[in-house]
Amino acid sequence: MRHDRQCNDPITRKRFFNAPSLLLAGALVIAAVPVIAQEGPRSAGSADPELIENLVAANRILAAYGVLDGFGHVSVRHNLDPDRFLISRSLAPELVTADDILEYDLNGDAVDLQGRAQYSERYIHAAIYKARPDVHAVVHNHSPSIIPFSVSDVKLRPVYHMAAFMKDGLPVFDVRAESGITDMLVSSPDRAAPLAVVLADSNAVLMRGHGIAVVGPTVLHAVARSVYTEINAARQLDAIRLGGEVTYLDPLEAQAMLDGGEHRGYTRPWELWKRNVMRDLR
Amino acid sequence: MRHDRQCNDPITRKRFFNAPSLLLAGALVIAAVPVIAQEGPRSAGSADPELIENLVAANRILAAYGVLDGFGHVSVRHNLDPDRFLISRSLAPELVTADDILEYDLNGDAVDLQGRAQYSERYIHAAIYKARPDVHAVVHNHSPSIIPFSVSDVKLRPVYHMAAFMKDGLPVFDVRAESGITDMLVSSPDRAAPLAVVLADSNAVLMRGHGIAVVGPTVLHAVARSVYTEINAARQLDAIRLGGEVTYLDPLEAQAMLDGGEHRGYTRPWELWKRNVMRDLR
Amino acid sequence: MRHDRQCNDPITRKRFFNAPSLLLAGALVIAAVPVIAQEGPRSAGSADPELIENLVAANRILAAYGVLDGFGHVSVRHNLDPDRFLISRSLAPELVTADDILEYDLNGDAVDLQGRAQYSERYIHAAIYKARPDVHAVVHNHSPSIIPFSVSDVKLRPVYHMAAFMKDGLPVFDVRAESGITDMLVSSPDRAAPLAVVLADSNAVLMRGHGIAVVGPTVLHAVARSVYTEINAARQLDAIRLGGEVTYLDPLEAQAMLDGGEHRGYTRPWELWKRNVMRDLR
Amino acid sequence: MRHDRQCNDPITRKRFFNAPSLLLAGALVIAAVPVIAQEGPRSAGSADPELIENLVAANRILAAYGVLDGFGHVSVRHNLDPDRFLISRSLAPELVTADDILEYDLNGDAVDLQGRAQYSERYIHAAIYKARPDVHAVVHNHSPSIIPFSVSDVKLRPVYHMAAFMKDGLPVFDVRAESGITDMLVSSPDRAAPLAVVLADSNAVLMRGHGIAVVGPTVLHAVARSVYTEINAARQLDAIRLGGEVTYLDPLEAQAMLDGGEHRGYTRPWELWKRNVMRDLR
């Protein structure tokens, strides 16, 4: 991608400092200034600026394409320490810049909160990173078309190849099963651990009356899967409403698609999406 | 419109040229110039400029996010006198500036109309402020997905936690019940009083074949509840159409959410929404 | 509206000549240059520039708000002669300027075609102006949500007060009834006359497998009714899909709304819509 | 169209070099620099710059109007050799410029790949050009509303005249019928040939659990048919959901529409669409 190469090129980088680029500026500050933990866990050190940049882009992409609104969040596992992850302070995703990214351990404790408000549901991310070493990015969202499936006994299943990552359909986590009557927020390790259990080895888990958690081996995967989970849900809804027989993707077809390299790592749409939200930023 | 008055005020105009804030400029005029009631009720005095600014933002947010179109309106209770409320003159909400805000008493009479056209349905607001001392903001809208529920015997209920404020579902007011055949407009105290009765202690009341009135302890609440009522209605519609069993939010879960601080006062999405509509203004 | 005032102000008007305003420039050209009919019917003379400006705005509003796409058209009756009407040359409505407006008689013959391509379905407009002296504006569109009602035996009826102009529901014209197998286009007086018969004294008539013709006493009415017919159709669809009992607007309520002054001539949304499309133009 | 004429006009062309027009610049490079095939098949020579420009516009139109997202592609047959076709390198359609266009033979082999990544499903295009000499443009897309019909036994049929090109409904290709369990991608000549067989002499063929391939005698036709297939699918879905009897376009009516000149070659919407996406580019 263009911007990644520019980061390694001092001349191009200078162009970014001249241009009003909060995004890159913030990423470089994080890269340059060692974070000093005060009361929280020890920092893993400065994360890869490209990882930060992609995390910021992910926030904005998910907002721009309607997966996130004022709520929801996206995180990445730290590139230097699998026991740390990065996520914004409490902020609408559309507004996130590199400066807003905080580092957490897998209990959901911030390395250095700097007095900022934090997402009460960061435990969703912490619990999944703890349970699933293969996962390097997590999105929690309330995207429109998945909500109906979270409260229905009709299973969310792939109707087309873009949603092959759903394989034979998504599991549904009901916070009530383990935690009883709550405010529905997964705002503690106790509420989050059972979510990771229901997720098991799936690529996403619906949350009853709430939303979804989507995971991936990279932030590109987690973002694109969030987008295509939303699209597939809307399409499945329509297919059911047509009133005829619906043919879902065969789990073997889904597996063949995943084995073949799931949409080549989503680099093609990512290039488009990132370009569009970066353009808006700069 | 705003340009007329600003053009007559050299000081405000200067600030306008220096800082491109039409919005604030208008708010400060209201704050600085004492309103002189002529034939209407006595004014409560200059309202808090931030309240005015948020009311203007509310108009534009509700238009920008599709809750209001050329019709509908939003009001706030006056910060200096619970017997007064503030609402725009008759104008499409997307166009409202601080200069358009008028002061009314709880009978729906303007303190000083300044020869302007007014909303014929301001009585919705007046009646609710009279009946509900806890309410400090009211939105009346015709947002797309709530209309079907206003004419159906299927109840609008929360399918997810973002709509916890609906508790066990919204009541429906039918103007015909008390007022017989009308033009459907709640354009008099007589038609508005029964609406407040049906609203009772709910956070919103559907209006049959017309729209909805949504209330809140702050304008942030009334706006965000309007947005999430629309979203929840669309999602409930889809959940029903899926054809399976639908699990609604348990009223105890809804209550726990409200007790826990309803989405922390919606400051997170408000920051985003206000930023976006302010940016368009300036 | 702002621009009306500017037209009466020579200084402001000059600004328009300097600014790249095809719209106003075109309107003034039409006002200034006598049209010379060559082979067509006699011209009624220069139309009111404000009428032309509103017709141009109508084209752009209907495109901007999704009622028209590359197809469909809107016309107004000439202010100087009830036997003439004004409509664009064959052009996507979003692109129409005053320069594109042509004058026709009620047989659908152009006064002066100036070698331009014309809408093959202008006969819809001609036949309606001939049959309905009270009509001063006509919109022909294929807006999304009305198409299903044009091919269903479920009647399009008002679910809320904004669509009171539909009274007890819209009639459906089937070109096949009088003209047999055709290419579905109402492209001759013979095909158009039966459409006007089915319209009768309604405010709109659905066209089976094709679209709709919407009429009004002013272009504001015809535009706003087109917008709210689309919105009402979508809402009725949703109300039916909810699966419960649907309560339609009582025809007496609809009549009371119309008697009370149908949404005060739609000046409130028109001000907003026109401002938005004019802003894009200039 | 304006820009076509400008290409033949040296003065206007100069304006394009001064203006930041990647699009035209790219088109002219292709026109001026002879392509040297290295290991692939022989080039047919420089394609008509207007054809290239329309192909670029097609990519952007289909993205702008929601038919394509990050995936899908559009191609045209070469104007100098019916055994060659032109399509972008692997790239999100919204980003395509003339510089990205590659030349292929009807086996799906690139004349000169220049080290670029290519669409794995270019074989869809190759197989159709081989089987259908009348076809000069092909679109492969996953547009939202056609997906449900690709997995349902309910047939996609024209509900209105804009979709007359569907005649009595679209065939559905299931890759599994000939190729068994696959990753669902039509990424080889073997998988593509049966698709062309199912397409037969239709104007489009649905692909089960995947998308659609739409063809036309010109790129205008293929683009407009893609747009109106999407729109018709959404409308048919709604018509069915209304619950009443649905009247489809009579195949004789559809044929009469096609015989009469299918929407006059779609020049009217094309002019609008191309203007809009070109404006964004320059």
Side-chain angles (χ1 to χ4, degrees), chain A residues 48-104:
Chain A
D48 178 2
E50 184 183 338
L51 187 67
I52 301 280
E53 180 179 302
N54 278 344
L55 178 57
V56 171
N59 272 277
R60 291 168 177 269
I61 288 167
L62 291 167
Y65 290 85
V67 171
L68 298 176
D69 59 0
F71 294 96
H73 16 79
V74 47
S75 68
V76 292
R77 198 188 287 268
H78 199 296
N79 61 296
L80 297 178
D81 184 349
D83 290 341
R84 296 288 180 273
F85 70 96
L86 305 163
I87 193 170
S88 171
R89 66 179 175 98
S90 176
L91 188 64
E94 191 176 324
L95 301 178
V96 169
T97 64
D99 235 21
D100 301 305
I101 305 300
L102 300 173
E103 183 183 350
Y104 285 89

Side-chain angles (χ1 to χ4, degrees), chain B residues 40-42 77 82-85 103-111 118-131 186-190 192-193:
Chain B
R42 185 184 51 79
R77 198 187 287 269
D83 291 341
R84 297 287 180 274
F85 70 97
E103 183 183 351
Y104 284 89
D105 72 7
L106 301 194
N107 295 318
D109 292 325
V111 164
Q118 53 190 333
Y119 290 133
S120 65
E121 296 193 304
R122 62 194 178 274
Y123 301 99
I124 295 171
H125 304 257
I128 291 173
Y129 289 120
K130 193 178 282 186
V186 181
S187 51
S188 72
D190 281 358

Side-chain angles (χ1 to χ4, degrees), chain C residues 241-262:
Chain C
R241 290 181 209 154
L242 264 181
E245 184 81 19
V246 179
T247 303
Y248 293 95
L249 209 64
D250 189 304
L252 292 176
E253 292 172 327
Q255 193 57 53
M257 162 57 85
L258 299 181
D259 291 346
E262 184 185 343

Side-chain angles (χ1 to χ4, degrees), chain D residues 61-80:
Chain D
I61 288 167
L62 291 167
Y65 289 84
V67 170
L68 298 176
D69 59 0
F71 294 97
H73 16 81
V74 48
S75 68
V76 292
R77 198 188 287 269
H78 200 296
N79 61 295
L80 297 179

Side-chain angles (χ1 to χ4, degrees), chain D residues 68 72-74 121 124-125 138-142 207 210-213:
Chain D
L68 298 176
H73 16 81
V74 48
E121 296 194 303
I124 295 170
H125 303 257
V138 177
V139 175
H140 169 55
N141 73 67
H142 315 149
M207 301 162 69
H210 183 153
I212 195 171

